């Protein structure tokens, strides 16, 4: 079996004409875990520890929605002991994963329905093939589950079980680290919960509608413009959100670093608000998942006028 895997890896390398020294399972003896994008990479590294070799499909600084996979990445997914992804974020990854060697984190938690306006915006998305279109429409839930640390804690526990099954010799290590990671996330959840209890406003206006789970968990109300940051919002949706933001006395429109702030700025100027960066953690932050969520908490407390 190891010989077959090594041969397949060698062939794949030869086929790509790549001279890169890719570390394979045969060389390190560690299972290869492929994470689709940052929060899943962070989680896989926490749970995998030194027992697993974790790589990520979405490079730092790249917006993961609509990621396209190269031949090498597809091969990495085929050869991986486990691919950790969330169905509905990246159609190319959804297509490439194998049922037996993949873990869809969305299956571990209770999901929320996608925003009501999603379909309307999908149809306005220019340059999208009908095939991709069908893929997007396929998912009826909001896939941004990692922005609720309590849900991510549940994912950590399930991921520990999946890694333990994939590498039984190190099962206890995966379970122990999963429990530790879940405890860290539960602590973070409590910090957010306490920090967002007493706020002047509970309305979260965002350009990219990524914070549904955060809003759900901490009893905030997300008013987002679009689920996919690459989509152009319709003027009708923009004016609808502007009207709502005005009536609720919103002081801040949230934007994010990987997406053009144009839409948020237009909206903010219409309602006399300012903009602030709230990180949806779709790409690696300067710190890690936990420190970036603490930064998000501070940003929210300032913008919403919370006292804690
Ligand atoms: Zn997103």
């Amino acid at each position: 079996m190891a010989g077959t895997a090594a041969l397949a890896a060698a062939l794949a390398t030869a086929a790509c004409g790549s001279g890169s020294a890719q570390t394979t399972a045969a060389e390190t003896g560690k299972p290869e875990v492929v994470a689709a994008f940052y929060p899943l990479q962070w989680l896989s590294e926490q749970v995998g520890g030194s027992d697993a070799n974790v790589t990520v499909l979405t490079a730092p600084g790249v917006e993961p929605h609509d990621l396209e996979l190269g031949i090498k990445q597809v091969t990495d997914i085929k050869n991986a002991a486990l691919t950790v992804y969330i169905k509905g974020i990246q159609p190319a990854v959804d297509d490439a994963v194998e049922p037996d060697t993949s873990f869809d984190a969305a299956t571990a938690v209770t999901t929320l329905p996608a925003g009501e306006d999603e379909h309307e915006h999908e149809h306005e998305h220019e340059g999208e093939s009908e095939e991709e279109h069908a893929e997007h429409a396929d998912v009826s839930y909001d896939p941004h589950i990692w922005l609720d640390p309590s849900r991510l804690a549940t994912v950590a526990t399930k991921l520990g079980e999946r890694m333990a099954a994939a590498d039984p010799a190190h099962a206890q290590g995966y379970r122990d680290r999963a429990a530790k990671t879940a405890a860290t996330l539960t602590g973070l959840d409590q910090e957010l919960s306490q920090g967002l209890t007493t706020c002047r406003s509970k309305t979260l206006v965002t350009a990219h509608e990524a914070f549904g789970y955060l809003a759900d968990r901490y009893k905030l109300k997300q008013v987002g413009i679009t689920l996919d940051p690459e989509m152009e919002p319709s003027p009708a949706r923009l004016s609808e959100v502007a009207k709502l933001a005005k009536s609720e006395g919103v002081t801040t429109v949230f934007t994010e670093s990987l997406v053009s702030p144009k839409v948020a700025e237009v909206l903010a100027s219409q309602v006399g608000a300012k903009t602030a960066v709230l990180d949806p953690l779709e790409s690696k932050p300067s710190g890690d998942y936990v420190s970036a969520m603490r930064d998000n908490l501070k940003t929210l407390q300032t913008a919403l006028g919370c006292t804690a």
Side-chain angles (χ1 to χ4, degrees):
M1 285 302 283
T4 312
L7 180 62
L11 285 173
T13 306
C16 298
S18 150
S20 75
Q22 192 208 347
T23 316
T24 65
E27 287 160 19
T28 63
K30 293 179 185 178
E32 297 287 332
V33 175
V34 174
F37 59 102
Y38 177 72
L40 300 175
Q41 177 195 2
W42 178 81
L43 201 69
S44 299
E45 286 169 351
Q46 301 302 306
V47 176
S50 57
D51 287 329
N53 199 22
V54 177
T55 54
V56 68
L57 294 172
T58 310
V62 173
E63 223 291 325
H65 288 277
D66 302 326
L67 174 80
E68 290 184 16
L69 297 176
I71 293 166
K72 184 189 171 295
Q73 292 179 307
V74 173
T75 307
D76 287 348
I77 291 172
K78 302 289 178 213
N79 292 337
L82 194 66
T83 298
V84 185
Y85 75 115
I86 295 174
K87 190 171 182 338
I89 292 282
Q90 297 158 298
V93 178
D94 298 349
D95 278 350
V97 294
E98 310 268 0
D100 292 345
T101 56
S102 62
F103 172 53
D104 174 4
T107 62
V109 299
T110 308
T111 52
L112 299 171
E116 286 167 29
D117 301 286
E118 194 197 3
H119 277 119
E120 192 188 319
H121 293 301
E122 294 287 3
H123 290 284
E124 289 162 8
H125 196 191
E126 285 173 30
E128 187 176 67
S129 75
E130 278 187 24
E131 207 174 292
E132 284 168 328
H133 206 151
E135 296 280 353
H136 270 106
D138 205 28
V139 178
S140 58
Y141 57 85
D142 176 353
H144 301 87
I145 57 169
W146 64 90
L147 288 157
D148 168 7
S150 73
R151 278 180 170 88
L152 199 58
T154 305
V155 174
T157 305
K158 294 261 168 72
L159 180 58
E161 290 304 321
R162 286 303 301 267
M163 285 189 175
D167 181 16
H170 302 99
Q172 197 55 50
Y174 294 116
R175 291 199 181 102
D176 289 349
R177 285 184 298 267
K180 197 173 156 234
T181 307
T184 300
L185 291 168
T186 302
L188 177 65
D189 173 55
Q190 284 162 0
E191 282 177 47
L192 280 147
S193 191
Q194 282 161 17
L196 297 171
T197 302
T198 315
C199 306
R200 189 186 47 74
S201 168
K202 292 273 184 178
T203 305
L204 191 64
V205 177
T206 64
H208 172 196
E209 198 168 17
F211 300 92
Y213 289 89
L214 187 136
D216 177 66
R217 180 67 184 166
Y218 307 113
K219 300 182 178 66
L220 306 173
K221 179 177 154 199
Q222 175 180 241
V223 180
I225 301 168
T226 162
L227 257 186
D228 185 329
E230 316 235 310
M231 281 190 251
E232 279 288 316
S234 66
R237 178 64 183 163
L238 258 181
S239 69
E240 190 188 339
V241 174
K243 204 173 145 195
L244 218 146
K246 256 185 212 163
S247 75
E248 308 219 357
V250 164
T251 62
T252 309
V253 176
F254 296 106
T255 181
E256 62 190 83
S257 47
L258 290 181
V259 175
S260 162
K262 206 179 125 232
V263 169
E265 282 165 359
V266 167
L267 181 64
S269 72
Q270 276 180 20
V271 301
K274 50 189 181 173
T275 61
V277 173
L278 198 61
D279 192 347
L281 279 156
E282 293 189 346
S283 185
K284 193 181 183 324
S286 54
D288 67 3
Y289 175 85
V290 175
S291 66
M293 285 300 277
R294 286 194 179 123
D295 288 346
N296 278 344
L297 171 59
K298 278 185 218 143
T299 303
L300 287 168
Q301 287 181 309
T302 305
L304 304 179
C306 310
T307 50

